[in-house]
Amino acid sequence: VNTGDEQNGFLPNLNGLVAAFNENPNLRPINLKFDGKRQELRISASAKSFQDFDKFAASLPKQFTLQQGALSSKKDQVTGLLTIRKK
């Protein structure tokens, strides 16, 4: 039985985000988690500013939805959680 996991697994989802990360080098992933049941990628990330998170969200390919958790700022670094799912 083919469940389509080859198209919806961790690596295909992550591969679909490469361009968005390349366009936003100031946003750096700290930790990646993939929930196979929910088909979502959770990324803890850090950046220099809140705007870097906004730019990343705007550059995501249209086949993805983004839910952004609370962002926190300490000194010159902003951290937050991004939950990304394929539509």
Side-chain angles (χ1 to χ4, degrees), residues 13-47:
N13 277 292
L14 189 60
N15 191 43
L17 302 174
V18 169
F21 279 108
N22 284 340
E23 289 177 32
N24 299 282
N26 289 333
L27 187 116
R28 295 178 315 278
I30 299 169
N31 189 359
L32 302 172
K33 291 184 181 181
F34 182 72
D35 185 329
K37 289 183 182 179
R38 292 182 166 196
Q39 288 297 303
E40 67 184 21
L41 185 61
R42 296 182 201 128
I43 303 172
S44 296
S46 68

Side-chain angles (χ1 to χ4, degrees), residues 21-87:
F21 279 108
N22 284 340
E23 289 177 32
N24 299 282
N26 289 333
L27 187 116
R28 295 178 315 278
I30 299 169
N31 189 359
L32 302 172
K33 291 184 181 181
F34 182 72
D35 185 329
K37 289 183 182 179
R38 292 182 166 196
Q39 288 297 303
E40 67 184 21
L41 185 61
R42 296 182 201 128
I43 303 172
S44 296
S46 68
K48 294 179 181 178
S49 70
F50 292 101
Q51 290 79 14
D52 292 322
F53 280 86
D54 293 338
K55 288 177 188 176
F56 178 79
S59 68
L60 272 181
K62 299 206 182 303
Q63 75 262 27
F64 292 101
T65 60
L66 171 69
Q67 182 179 17
Q68 185 172 292
L71 300 177
S72 63
S73 178
K74 290 184 181 176
K75 297 185 182 177
D76 294 336
Q77 185 170 323
V78 177
T79 57
L81 179 66
L82 306 172
T83 302
I84 301 171
R85 293 183 192 99
K86 269 192 175 175
K87 291 182 182 176

